[in-house]
Amino acid sequence: MTTSKVARAAIAALIAAAFATSARAEIKNYEFQLIQPTVKAGADRVVTVRLVNKTTGKTVPDAVVFASRLDMAPDGMQEMATKVTPVPGSEPGTYRFKATFGMAGRWQLSLGAKVQGESGTVENKLVVTAEQ
């Protein structure tokens, strides 16, 4: 390989690394936020979150939430999980989930979503407190 080919290959690798880094940095500009951090313990409780672009402060409508899990990991009981069912949001950029909070305590809502036009996945773990 000649020196110019090696230089071109190195430049191409640097450019590819720069694009990969910028794509990862962009998805980190998004986060889920709890609308209300507490719910009553019991069946069919609804938790509402918003997806926000942290650089603009605007909510993000039309994301595809493909992963959701609710368990008691914050209280050391991650095996205590419950089914999470998506329900329609009330406003653009809000996402609602129905679940049974079988007991009072701290519950972790883990979410994974794709944002249109972005590569990568938004992943957040939010703590919801269930009260008696």
Side-chain angles (χ1 to χ4, degrees):
M1 216 182 219
T2 64
T3 305
S4 65
K5 287 183 181 178
V6 171
R8 278 188 263 160
I11 290 170
L14 287 172
I15 291 170
F19 279 117
T21 301
S22 67
R24 280 195 300 269
E26 290 175 12
I27 202 67
K28 293 186 184 218
N29 290 335
Y30 298 92
E31 72 177 359
F32 283 101
Q33 300 172 344
L34 283 170
I35 301 290
Q36 183 111 17
T38 60
V39 297
K40 286 279 197 193
D44 296 332
R45 303 299 186 214
V46 175
V47 176
T48 305
V49 299
R50 70 173 64 94
L51 181 57
V52 176
N53 181 326
K54 296 186 291 186
T55 58
T56 65
K58 295 182 179 178
T59 58
V60 180
D62 302 325
V64 177
V65 178
F66 65 88
S68 59
R69 176 178 166 86
L70 186 64
D71 61 43
M72 291 194 79
D75 285 344
M77 295 183 282
Q78 53 271 24
E79 68 281 352
M80 178 101 174
T82 188
K83 182 180 174 186
V84 180
T85 305
V87 294
S90 56
E91 303 172 21
T94 63
Y95 303 85
R96 299 175 62 194
F97 304 93
K98 183 169 59 171
T100 297
F101 290 83
M103 62 186 288
R106 295 178 300 155
W107 292 78
Q108 179 174 277
L109 178 61
S110 303
L111 298 170
K114 294 286 188 181
V115 175
Q116 293 183 18
E118 299 288 349
S119 61
T121 301
V122 178
E123 295 178 0
N124 286 124
K125 297 179 187 294
L126 307 169
V127 176
V128 180
T129 302
E131 300 174 336
Q132 289 295 355

